[in-house]
Amino acid sequence: MGYWDLKEGTDCVQKTWITTKLGTALGLVGSAYHIVAFQPDSAVAALQRATNATVTMATLGAIFGMTTCLSAQAREAPDDPLNYFIGGCASGIFLGAKAHSAMTGTSACLGLGTLAFFTKVGKMEGWRLTGPPKL
């Protein structure tokens, strides 16, 4: 079962687990590319780099999944795209805290929140990025 198959605002643990797994996979792939592009000095440095990126991305996924689901429950508006903005913003705030930078957190909050908001709007309205257009 996929993320979009679950009803919004319900089964928060399952939705959070799915977003955490997705974040972990993206972190692994991203860290692999980073290690290939920028060769570390030792295997230990490579392992540290991969672990740091993977755990960060997994945490972002978990924060997004849980915040989105809980805001849908608390606001009693399960299909509102604002829930996705809140989840993206919470993930961005985590990045700012990790970087010890308010500017990074603010920028990431706005960027990830906006991306998540438009992802939800696009899903609701049937937007497509690939394939033939609907006529």
Side-chain angles (χ1 to χ4, degrees):
M1 182 168 290
Y3 182 83
W4 297 108
D5 296 333
L6 297 172
K7 189 172 187 251
E8 297 291 338
T10 61
D11 205 2
C12 290
V13 174
Q14 181 67 23
K15 288 187 92 96
T16 301
W17 178 240
I18 291 170
T19 56
T20 303
K21 289 189 299 185
L22 181 62
T24 302
L26 290 172
L28 284 170
V29 170
S31 63
Y33 277 110
H34 191 263
I35 289 169
V36 169
F38 303 102
Q39 299 279 323
D41 296 333
S42 67
V44 173
L47 182 63
Q48 287 175 330
R49 194 180 296 175
T51 303
N52 186 24
T54 302
V55 169
T56 299
M57 290 299 291
T59 305
L60 287 175
I63 290 170
F64 175 79
M66 188 56 72
T67 305
T68 301
C69 191
L70 291 178
S71 68
Q73 288 179 356
R75 298 178 61 242
E76 296 179 0
D79 286 326
D80 189 2
L82 184 59
N83 297 327
Y84 280 70
F85 181 85
I86 294 168
C89 185
S91 296
I93 290 170
F94 168 75
L95 285 177
K98 187 176 184 318
H100 302 288
S101 169
M103 186 56 72
T104 299
T106 303
S107 300
C109 168
L110 292 173
L112 293 175
T114 302
L115 177 66
F117 178 87
F118 282 116
T119 299
K120 177 62 175 175
V121 169
K123 181 70 175 167
M124 289 171 55
E125 294 184 0
W127 295 353
R128 294 169 42 130
L129 297 176
T130 60
K134 290 185 195 177
L135 299 176

